[in-house]
Amino acid sequence: MTDDRELFDILDRELERQNTTLQLIASENFASKAVLAATGSVLTNKYSEGYPHKRYYGGNAIVDEVEDLARRRVCELFGAQHANVQPHSGANANLAAYLAVLDPGDTVLGMRLDQGGHLTHGSPVNISGKFYNFVSYGVTDSDERLDLDQLEALAKQHRPKLIVAGATAYPRIIDPAPIRAIADSVGALFMFDAAHIAGLIAGGVHPNPVGVADIVTFTTHKTLRGPRGGAILCKAELASAVDKAVFPGLQGGPLEHVIAAKAVAFREASTAEFAAYAAQIVTNARALAAGLAGEGFRIVSGGTDNHLMLVDLRSFDAELTGKVAQEALDRSGITLNKNTIPGDPRSAFVTSGLRIGTPAVTTAGMTEAEMAHIARLIAAVLRAPDDGALAAEIREEVGVLCSKFTPYP
Ligand SMILES: *Cc1c(COP(=O)(O)O)cnc(C)c1O
């Protein structure tokens, strides 16, 4: 198929890495062979600026079928009136949503970055924070859950045009209903960024924000387990504004090979098997959190309702930083990321916490027994983060575990 050994040898090593080490990054997953095949298809060759049946170039009759199928499947999956499946990523989906309903300088409420929010929710280093006036809400000091009283007070004080809900490092259910009520009380629009939890919503284990929020954005590659990309769902009255914002407002030609893979993933996510998968993700997260708590780690907010947990390392070892922990675990074949925790005294580059997610290991077939094992391995590494011999030993044990749960045999 190719003589480019220089590149494909590197890809072979990445496949080996994914097959033989533990993937616990909360935003990652293992896409199916069908998703990979569609992503690698000849649709990558086609230019199709515009939307189905309204393209700028010829030769798009078949591509139109692909994009229509993706839109129909995702509307059925989430019960949406309109879908735009062209955003190249979650960040683009969010930016397009802002472009659709905001003017530069408008006020928006979003979740604080250091308490679980995303860069695209108003970080000063992101275009969202440069073009719009974001005001941040956070979690309570007491139970580390979304502070709805604060959200309401900020909404009354700042009269935002838009309230954004959703998070990248928040372990609890986000109920859209009370946020809708707050938005209505101040005449704001409501956008729900379901980037992380789209698969949990599709699988029926988290409340569906579609029909409650005016706009729902999400990524297709996290819990939803599709190709790397984004999508926007909205009410019919916002359809034209959203479509214009994605193209020509923000992007050029759509990635129809990725849209084909999104269609595959939407079908997969509508099955009973996927609903069972989504439930097992949460069961596994709870088991892993319980195992880590048993090893002496404090779990932020006391547990998890979703696919991830935040671990406060200070309870385990006051000196241990997220940065050192991430590196020690990486050497041991356990891949996860450092993360700030609410009220973290350390910077985002150092942190006092870890974010750990179960979507990928659950796809690989692991269940509660393996979660208990992983908790023991993590604790063993972090008791002696500088011990190279121990890291090699654990790396071997991880290899044995992964050989029974290989994502791409
Ligand atoms: C991951 C994420 C995004 C961005 O997705 P990308 O595809 O990486 O651009 C946006 N919002 C939230 C809440 C996320 O977790």
Side-chain angles (χ1 to χ4, degrees):
M1 184 180 84
T2 174
D3 62 358
D4 187 353
R5 284 326 310 169
E6 190 178 9
L7 184 276
F8 282 89
D9 283 349
I10 301 174
L11 296 198
D12 284 347
R13 283 192 285 116
E14 173 60 10
L15 174 63
E16 174 79 0
R17 186 193 70 81
Q18 293 187 21
N19 272 339
T20 60
T21 58
L22 281 168
Q23 310 309 319
L24 295 171
I25 291 178
S27 49
E28 293 184 358
N29 214 325
F30 299 119
S32 70
K33 289 268 171 65
V35 164
L36 297 181
T39 309
S41 70
V42 294
L43 292 177
T44 198
N45 300 328
K46 189 68 198 107
Y47 240 112
S48 46
E49 283 172 328
Y51 290 99
H53 321 293
K54 281 174 296 208
R55 307 284 189 184
Y56 285 77
Y57 300 158
N60 273 304
I62 295 168
V63 158
D64 284 355
E65 286 184 45
V66 170
E67 192 166 336
D68 272 338
L69 184 62
R71 294 198 296 190
R72 194 187 79 220
R73 284 180 177 174
V74 75
C75 282
E76 279 169 14
L77 182 62
F78 292 101
Q81 291 176 345
H82 180 72
N84 188 308
V85 293
Q86 292 192 0
H88 301 332
S89 67
N92 276 24
N94 287 352
L95 194 53
Y98 300 152
L99 196 57
V101 299
L102 299 175
D103 292 311
D106 277 346
T107 297
V108 187
L109 291 193
M111 193 171 186
R112 278 175 60 160
L113 193 63
D114 62 349
Q115 298 197 349
H118 190 260
L119 281 166
T120 57
H121 298 184
S123 162
V125 300
N126 182 261
I127 186 169
S128 58
K130 291 185 197 288
F131 280 29
Y132 307 107
N133 174 39
F134 266 83
V135 175
S136 299
Y137 58 86
V139 299
T140 65
D141 291 333
S142 51
D143 65 0
E144 298 171 303
R145 291 174 192 231
L146 211 56
D147 190 344
L148 288 171
D149 294 336
Q150 183 195 46
L151 209 173
E152 182 167 25
L154 289 170
K156 296 235 144 69
Q157 184 189 343
H158 294 280
R159 299 266 148 186
K161 194 190 262 186
L162 177 71
I163 296 177
V164 178
T168 200
Y170 180 70
R172 295 300 181 174
I173 283 176
I174 301 176
D175 183 359
I179 305 173
R180 171 84 260 174
I182 293 169
D184 286 344
S185 76
V186 297
L189 289 166
F190 175 25
M191 169 179 143
F192 194 105
D193 178 352
H196 263 260
I197 57 170
L200 301 180
I201 294 165
V205 298
H206 272 220
N208 187 356
V210 174
V212 182
D214 299 287
I215 301 181
V216 175
T217 60
F218 63 96
T219 66
T220 48
H221 50 278
K222 296 180 183 175
T223 52
L224 198 71
R225 207 163 64 183
R228 192 153 288 278
I232 306 174
L233 305 173
C234 65
K235 300 185 169 170
E237 62 256 37
L238 288 173
S240 156
V242 163
D243 284 353
K244 282 185 188 137
V246 174
F247 176 86
L250 182 64
Q251 297 186 162
L255 312 178
E256 292 293 344
H257 55 308
V258 178
I259 290 171
K262 288 173 184 173
V264 172
F266 297 147
R267 177 169 172 270
E268 290 175 358
S270 69
T271 60
E273 288 87 342
F274 192 89
Y277 163 65
Q280 189 64 43
I281 289 176
V282 178
T283 302
N284 281 351
R286 290 194 167 130
L288 184 52
L292 290 167
E295 297 285 349
F297 295 95
R298 189 183 80 86
I299 307 300
V300 169
S301 84
T304 178
D305 302 323
N306 61 19
H307 61 299
L308 67 83
M309 67 218 67
L310 285 173
V311 178
D312 182 349
L313 296 168
R314 296 171 302 179
S315 56
F316 183 79
D317 176 347
E319 302 300 312
L320 182 62
T321 67
K323 183 173 189 289
V324 167
Q326 177 186 316
E327 285 162 6
L329 289 163
D330 219 12
R331 278 192 296 276
S332 311
I334 300 173
T335 308
L336 44 66
N337 62 280
K338 62 179 183 286
N339 215 99
T340 55
I341 51 175
D344 203 322
R346 297 183 174 116
S347 80
F349 296 101
V350 181
T351 82
S352 304
L354 295 175
R355 188 185 68 163
I356 310 183
T358 55
V361 289
T362 305
T363 294
M366 294 187 191
T367 58
E368 293 95 307
E370 287 74 40
M371 297 305 116
H373 188 181
I374 292 170
R376 290 195 299 275
L377 293 173
I378 290 172
V381 172
L382 296 186
R383 262 184 218 108
D386 302 321
D387 187 336
L390 176 76
E393 235 172 76
I394 303 274
R395 174 74 188 75
E396 204 151 301
E397 196 173 335
V398 164
V400 173
L401 176 60
C402 290
S403 70
K404 294 181 213 136
F405 300 93
T406 310
Y408 301 111

